[in-house]
Amino acid sequence: MQTDLEIAKQASLKPLSEVADQLGLTPDDYDYYGSPYVAKLRLDVLDRLQGRPAAKYIDISAMTPTPLGEGKSTTTVGLGQAMKHINKRALVTLRQPSMGPTFGIKGGAAGGGYAQVVPMDVFNLHLTGDIHAVAAANNLLAAMIDNKLMRGNPLNIDPDTITWRRVVDMNDRVLRQIVIGLGGKENGIPRETGFDIAVASEVMAILALSTSLQDLRERLGRIVIGYTHDREPVTADQIGAAGAMTVLMQEALRPTLMQTLENTPVLVHAGPFANIAHGNSSILADMIGSRCADYLITESGFGADIGAEKFFNIKCRYSGLKPDAAVLVVTIRALKLHSGNYRVRPGRPIPPEMLEENLADVEAGAVNMVRHIQTMRKHGVTPVVAINRFEADTDAEIALVKRIAEENGAYGAVEARHFAEGGVGAVELAEMVVAACDEESEFRFLYDLDQPLTTKIETIAREVYGAADVSYEPLAESQLKRYERSGFGHLPICMAKTHLSLSHDPSLKGAPSGFTLPIREVRASVGAGFIYPIVGSMSTMPGLAAHPAAEQIDIDENGEIVGLF
C-alpha cells in the first residue's frame, strides 16, 4: 500500500468555496490562509448561524492505545467521510498537530490511508501557525515575569512560587529542568525553571476553551503565574502582559477550514496531547460546526480515561454542548497487548506473535475495553465500539470483540475498514452511530464543582482509573491547600497522566486495580479554568527516540517533501 503522503498527494481536492458551501458558509465568512485549500473562519459567523438547528454531537475516543496509536484520528475522518455515503451532512473537528510528534515517533494527526485531512503536509507542518502564536504569547509572559523580578520586583513576587514555564513546539528533553539568569545582573535573577512543549501551555488550553475574543482576553488576564511573599496570587493582568498576549492570539482564535480526501469539511483548531494537556479541539470550532451540519464529529486525545474524561468534565462544562453519542476505537493488536503477554516499543515492528490469531489473549485484554465502556456509561453516554481492522485480524477475533463489547454495555460494535477503503469502509459504523444519536441522551458530569479538589481528584482516580487510593507528595499537598485558600477550589480537574495505562505506570496493562495513584505536583490553570495535577513521573516536555521521524524527512530534487509518514 502507498504511504499516507503518497495517497494525500493524489487527492482530488475541491475548491474550498465548494467545501464551505456544504456548511452554508459564504466567501464573507472566511479568509484564505497561505493556501487555496486552507482558510480561517471569521468569528462573526457564529452570530449569523445561531438560528440554525444544532447538529448531533459525537465524540470519538479509544481504549488505552499501544505506543503506535490505534487509528482514532483515522476513524474520526473515516466516519465523517462515511456519513456522505448514507446521505448525511457531517463536519469533523480536529486538533492541530504538534510538530513534536511529527518529528518524533508517533507521526502526525491528519488520519491515515484513505481517511485523511488534506493537504496533509500543510496540516502537519505549521498549518496556520496557531501553535507558534501560543508559544509567542506564553513566552512573552515568561519574559515579562523575569523582567519584573530584575526591575526591583515591584509586585513582591516570591520566585520560588513561580509556576509559569517557557514553551517550544519540539520534543527537547534537555530543556525540562534548567537554570536561567546566569551571567550577572544584566541577565536577570537566577532561578530554576524549565520548558514545556507548546501544546501543554495554559495558553493553548485557553485557546481551546474560549468562546469569544473578549473571553480569550479575560482568561489570559486571569492566568496565575505565582504568588507574592504575602501568599497572594499574581496574575498576567498584574504583570501587564495579557493585552499583548491577546493581540498575539487574535488570529489563532479563528478555526481553520480544510477538507478530507473525500471532501468532507473539517475544522482544525487547538492542540493535542490529552496526557499532558486538555487534549480536545476548540469550543469555538464546535460551536460553529454544530450549526453547519447534521452531525458534528469531534475527537478526544488518547484513551477515554484522559481525553474523553476531559471532554465530558471540562470541555462540555464550558461549552454547554452535550454529546448525543460516542465512539470507542479499539484494535485487536491493542487488546492483545493488554493481555500482558506482549511488549510493543515505539518505532519497532509489532512482535510477529501478536499478528497470529489468539482468542485467549484478545479476551484477556478486553478488560481494558470494558473499563472504557464503563467510563463512558458513567457519564451517561453509551458508546459504539469501532473495531479498526488491520490485515492480520481474523473474523473469529472480530466476532469475539463484538460479543464482549455488547455484553458489557456498548450500544453495538462494528468493524471498520476506512483506512484501506475510505468512507465506504465505515458505512456500517456511520449507520450505527446515527442510530445511537437517535436514542435519548442522559449525559452527566462525573463530579460536582463544589466538591473539594482532593475529592474531585480521587473520584477520577477511583471511578475512571480503578485506583484504590491517591497519595500526594508534600509539594502537591501544599499547592492544593494554597489553591483552595485562593478561591480556586471550584475548578474542574485536568490530570496529566500516562496514556499507555489506565494507571500511572505505563507497564500496567489491562484494567489494573488496587493501586495508589501518586500526585507529584499540582498547577493551577486559572485562566483556562482547571486544576492540573501531575501524576507520578509524567513529564510535560517529551523527548526524542533514538531514531526520530525527523531523520527520514527531506526534500527531493523536485522540491517535494518526502518521508513524512
Side-chain angles (χ1 to χ4, degrees), residues 143-172:
M144 292 181 71
I145 293 167
D146 285 300
N147 188 54
K148 289 286 186 187
L149 294 179
M150 190 191 78
R151 304 284 181 182
N153 196 8
L155 295 175
N156 195 30
I157 301 169
D158 180 353
D160 291 337
T161 68
I162 294 173
T163 54
W164 196 257
R165 295 156 65 92
R166 287 162 172 83
V167 299
V168 63
D169 190 34
M170 287 293 164
N171 294 1
D172 196 349

Side-chain angles (χ1 to χ4, degrees), residues 332 335-336 356-363 387 389-404 415 417:
I332 298 299
L335 292 166
K336 288 178 179 176
E356 300 172 0
E357 182 175 277
N358 191 320
L359 298 179
D361 283 347
V362 171
E363 185 162 17
I387 308 167
R389 184 154 191 170
F390 286 73
E391 188 176 358
D393 301 343
T394 69
D395 290 344
E397 290 172 331
I398 297 291
L400 177 60
V401 175
K402 288 182 178 180
R403 179 179 63 78
I404 295 172
E415 68 176 274
R417 299 173 178 266

